[in-house]
Amino acid sequence: MSEETILQFGGGRFLRAFTDLFVQQANEAGQEIGQVVVLQSTDSGYAEKLNAQQGRFHVAVRGIDRGERVDTIQEVTCVQRALIIQRQWEEIVALACSPHLRFVISNTTEAGLTLAADDARDARPPASFPARLLTLLRARFEAGLRGVAIIPCELRERNADLLLSLVLSQAKAWQEREALLRWLQEECVWINTLVDRIVTDRPPNYTLFPEDLLLAVAEPYALWALENKPLPGPFPDLPPILRVPNVEPYFLRKVRILNGAHTALLSQAMPRGYQTVQEALADSEVLTWLKRLLFEEIVPTLEGRVEDPKTFAEQVLERFANPFLHHRLTDIAKNHRQKVQVRLLPTYEEYKARFGKTPPLLEQAIAFHPEGAFS
Ligand SMILES: NC(=O)c1ccc[n+]([C@@H]2O[C@H](COP(=O)([O-])OP(=O)(O)OC[C@H]3O[C@@H](n4cnc5c(N)ncnc54)[C@H](O)[C@@H]3O)[C@@H](O)[C@H]2O)c1
Ligand SMILES: O=P(O)(O)OC[C@@H](O)[C@@H](O)[C@H](O)[C@H](O)CO
């Protein structure tokens, strides 16, 4: 199927090795999902690279899966084109009014799920991601077309509900019509999700497809939990994709354990001068600290609330040790303060409330500021 059915805010390595790879695999399995158009929000430059490569790139899946070594590579060809929001807004508005469009997928990081002060209704484009989305959906509504499914991948609790509330706030600030507000809530489907797969750039020693500037490296593990609401068209149906009544327990377990451990690890690894997660965990002192954090402070706050947090934490340690990944600490340190708020502080507060004392390792991790680590 050659129609462009998916509008994707963001084309970073995570979306390439996760949603795009799934769309590719589903298309190859005859599921007829359609093609993706990537929208570049920042000046990261990947749109030019994607277009120069005719939308094609490779995903290497590398690691150990149930004791077996996995080292595969797959070409992804489902990205039709990439558009730059600042320069090609009118083309993007036209695409939003395509009858073929069914899904809007996003990964705009922690920075994307906020409104900008004084965003102008007639700006082309508006400044914030929610205001841009509102403008595109309004164009679609005014064209008399059916709603779409909005599937955010940002690691925020109830990410779709949050995005909808931001879109509605912006719509009220712009005094949009009631009919549009109803259409957004009743004709569009807002799907809360939880994503999980560690994705890194090409490691220095990986020599396949040297001409591919967009090659991403992923671990074999992948989980995409999506709220099970009716969708406007075929969506990838693959083993890593779970349609569930409620994504909350998946979010809580993954973000508090895996992302919490990553963010906390910086406090031990950066001052020691390590560059990657794998290097840091080869240091037995750092590994022991991380295990204590996980099993003495994080897992106890999740017992009885999510399924088997201890086993999940053990699996996370194995995933972190994946010798084929080159996971840079500087990538994990981006937007650090916002990550601490979501990934560590709630555990800290819940630990104090549940056990009546301060968790010492979490306290250390929360006090750490990566900017100061190199000074
Ligand atoms: N890499 C992973 O292992 C992984 C796994 C799960 C989730 N994630 C999510 O991916 C994000 C990081 O992405 P990546 O690993 O692909 O890194 P990346 O640097 O390759 O891509 C970052 C993406 O975020 C977008 N972005 C950054 N700032 C933005 C802003 N202010 N407004 C709109 N968009 C913005 C960029 O355009 C790009 O698409 C994290 O926030 C996390 O939520 C990453
Ligand atoms: O991608 P970030 O910057 O939000 O967080 C860094 C890592 O914790 C994250 O990328 C994990 O590897 C990922 O969330 C695993 O699913």
Side-chain angles (χ1 to χ4, degrees), residues 14 54 79 91 99 124 308 315 336:
F14 172 69
Q54 289 80 45
V79 174
E91 260 179 86
R124 313 198 71 81
D308 206 352
Q315 289 163 350
H336 182 73

Side-chain angles (χ1 to χ4, degrees), residues 36 52 63 65 70-71 74 88 117 127 156 194 203 234 249 253 263 268-269 274 296 300 302 308 319 330-331 348 373:
V36 178
D65 185 18
V70 177
D71 196 355
Q74 181 164 5
Q88 291 168 292
R156 293 291 302 272
L194 177 276
R253 188 173 68 168
T263 296
Q268 305 305 304
Y274 296 124
E296 294 174 18
L302 295 172
D308 206 352
R319 291 168 61 193
T330 46
D331 284 338
Y348 177 83

